[in-house]
Amino acid sequence: MAHFKKKSANTKQEIPTSAMPDIVFMLLIFFMVTTVLREVTLQVQVDFTQAENIEKIEQKRLVSYIYIGPEKLSGNSLGETKVQIDDTLIDDLGSIRNMMYDKLQEQPKLIVSLRVDEDSEFGIVTDVEQELRKAGTLRINYSTHRED
């Protein structure tokens, strides 16, 4: 009877890791480019009204927010109704037209989302709407909370 010898394979069982740093840096750069980290510091108080029929905006990059509400003062007190765009309080409502026109030129599909405090003066909201209309930003959204 013949005896068979079993040959063992002389291959290495290691995973090549020479390309791993390249892959890690590509992923790191990808996430740095696609992640949005900027948050707005609110200088006005906004308590949303409630609504039954609301829709969620999927493309948040197309949205520019305008906050309307009482100004937050020191000592947890509230002042008069103010308008905030990005991180600045707007004193002259006429400047809204220029700011939003410039944003519309940068992003033609811009949606303006009004985040209005439920106790705000409606006259200021109407003035802001008129300035947005004059700027040509006609896609306006009102932010609310879903009614329970």
Side-chain angles (χ1 to χ4, degrees):
M1 251 200 185
H3 292 287
F4 296 101
K5 290 184 181 180
K6 190 174 186 181
K7 288 187 178 180
S8 62
N10 290 333
T11 60
K12 295 181 181 180
Q13 299 296 321
E14 297 176 1
I15 298 174
T17 59
S18 61
M20 190 177 300
D22 296 334
I23 294 170
V24 168
F25 283 116
M26 283 191 295
L27 286 172
L28 179 66
I29 290 172
F30 171 78
F31 286 114
M32 285 174 56
V33 168
T34 58
T35 302
V36 177
L37 297 176
R38 189 173 190 297
E39 289 291 324
V40 174
T41 304
L42 283 180
Q43 299 175 27
V44 297
Q45 175 181 313
V46 178
D47 289 330
F48 294 117
T49 58
Q50 295 189 359
E52 292 179 16
N53 188 12
I54 62 174
E55 292 181 29
K56 186 174 181 179
I57 297 175
E58 297 300 326
Q59 296 179 327
K60 299 283 186 186
R61 292 179 183 251
L62 300 177
V63 179
S64 178
Y65 297 100
I66 297 179
Y67 303 92
I68 303 173
E71 181 180 11
K72 292 180 182 177
L73 302 173
S74 60
N76 291 334
S77 60
L78 299 174
E80 61 184 56
T81 301
K82 295 281 188 173
V83 177
Q84 178 181 343
I85 299 176
D86 297 330
D87 284 330
T88 58
L89 287 176
I90 307 298
D91 293 323
D92 177 26
L93 293 182
S95 63
I96 294 173
R97 181 185 324 166
N98 297 330
M99 292 177 70
M100 298 314 290
Y101 180 79
D102 292 341
K103 287 186 175 198
L104 184 64
Q105 295 306 309
E106 292 174 16
Q107 179 55 260
K109 295 184 177 182
L110 180 71
I111 300 170
V112 178
S113 181
L114 295 177
R115 293 188 163 192
V116 182
D117 185 71
E118 63 184 349
D119 296 326
S120 293
E121 301 167 15
F122 193 72
I124 293 178
V125 177
T126 303
D127 293 342
V128 170
E129 290 172 343
Q130 292 298 324
E131 292 300 320
L132 291 173
R133 184 175 295 138
K134 291 175 185 175
T137 51
L138 303 177
R139 298 178 70 186
I140 299 175
N141 166 284
Y142 296 91
S143 297
T144 62
H145 282 300
R146 183 176 298 276
E147 202 171 74
D148 292 333

